Amino acid sequence: MKISHIISFLVSTSTVALAQSFCDATGHSGESIKVNGNKIGKIGNVDYQLWADGGNNSATFYSDGSFSCAFQTSIDYLCRTGMSFNNGKTHSQIGHITADFKVVKQSITNVGYAYVGVYGWTKNPRVEYYVVDDWLSPQRPGDWLGNQKQGDFTIDGAEYTVYKNVRSDLTQYFSLRKVGRSCGSINVSAHFQQWEKLGMTMGTIDEVKVLAEIGNSNGGVTGTVEFPYAKVYL
């Protein structure tokens, strides 16, 4: 076997082994903080945020990046961990961004919509963005995600549908995976690059975080979601 083939094989094998290792994660480790109500904070080197509209909500965040989400009759609930920047840099200036996650779907009632993946904001322009790799709803989200469907694209080896949603108060970008997965690595920079190719301007990056968002405007949603592994890194 050629040396180049051996090196390629070793890199491929180590990558698979690493993916399998965090996909086997079952619990949390490190320091923890339980948050009740909306809060932005930091534990260790991990930035976190809980935000919810209505209901009785909480989240527990750990210094290893993992987290637990709990919500009761919430209209809209978001919990997330990862990296905050706020340094006026674009994604190309920051460097290559990757997010690893594992989600465990637990008992959830009255779910209307639910996204699992990567989430954040940009400035200049102000954009709320999502890379949706899984969902906690019975069906995959539909074309209602965006009023400008950009098409289907292969991004980092997986098929995604890309949307732009222009609302009166903000602009949203979505990459929606064709087949959901409960664990994996998301090449965040690849999505940023694809959006820019489509004319979807990326400003300076505020945050990149692993996210669970869930809600229902009709009576709220109740349940729990576990992320035994979540990490955003350069």
Side-chain angles (χ1 to χ4, degrees):
M1 183 181 291
K2 293 182 179 179
I3 294 296
S4 60
H5 291 169
I6 293 173
I7 293 173
S8 177
F9 172 77
L10 290 175
V11 170
S12 176
T13 303
S14 63
T15 301
V16 171
L18 180 61
Q20 289 176 338
S21 66
F22 74 75
C23 286
D24 291 338
T26 57
H28 309 279
S29 63
E31 299 177 47
S32 66
I33 181 171
K34 184 174 181 179
V35 174
N36 294 287
N38 297 351
K39 185 176 181 179
I40 299 173
K42 193 178 188 77
I43 182 166
N45 295 320
V46 176
D47 296 295
Y48 67 79
Q49 183 168 4
L50 169 64
W51 184 92
D53 179 12
N56 182 18
N57 309 289
S58 67
T60 303
F61 301 104
Y62 297 82
S63 58
D64 67 349
S66 63
F67 57 106
S68 302
C69 313
F71 37 91
Q72 185 174 13
T73 62
S74 181
I75 296 172
D76 189 26
Y77 172 99
L78 298 86
C79 62
R80 58 194 189 268
T81 67
M83 300 179 72
S84 297
F85 298 99
N86 299 316
N87 55 11
K89 292 185 178 181
T90 64
H91 70 88
S92 58
Q93 292 171 325
I94 290 170
H96 196 93
I97 305 170
T98 303
D100 298 340
F101 78 97
K102 178 183 177 180
V103 64
V104 178
K105 305 173 184 180
Q106 299 184 317
S107 176
I108 304 172
T109 59
N110 200 40
V111 58
Y113 58 88
Y115 315 133
V116 170
V118 169
Y119 173 89
W121 290 85
T122 73
K123 290 178 181 174
N124 302 314
R126 189 65 168 160
V127 171
E128 181 183 36
Y129 70 82
Y130 296 79
V131 178
V132 181
D133 258 38
D134 204 6
W135 38 92
L136 307 173
S137 50
Q139 292 86 30
R140 179 178 183 259
D143 288 348
W144 47 264
L145 276 180
N147 51 31
Q148 298 178 28
K149 186 175 180 179
Q150 305 295 311
D152 297 327
F153 302 91
T154 298
I155 302 175
D156 195 35
E159 286 190 89
Y160 288 83
T161 305
V162 173
Y163 298 90
K164 180 179 180 180
N165 191 30
V166 180
R167 297 165 50 178
S168 60
D169 55 341
L170 82 160
T171 300
Q172 296 173 311
Y173 299 163
F174 287 89
S175 286
L176 173 61
R177 204 172 196 270
K178 287 278 191 175
V179 179
R181 57 175 176 171
S182 60
C183 185
S185 292
I186 300 174
N187 185 341
V188 182
S189 293
H191 290 269
F192 291 167
Q193 292 161 3
Q194 179 62 55
W195 295 344
E196 288 176 327
K197 289 178 183 177
L198 295 168
M200 298 162 63
T201 304
M202 297 292 297
T204 59
I205 305 297
D206 272 4
E207 63 173 319
V208 180
K209 293 187 173 73
V210 174
L211 164 87
E213 178 174 3
I214 189 164
N216 191 335
S217 59
N218 184 17
V221 62
T222 296
T224 58
V225 179
E226 288 281 339
F227 282 81
Y229 195 91
K231 183 178 181 180
V232 175
Y233 55 96
L234 303 178

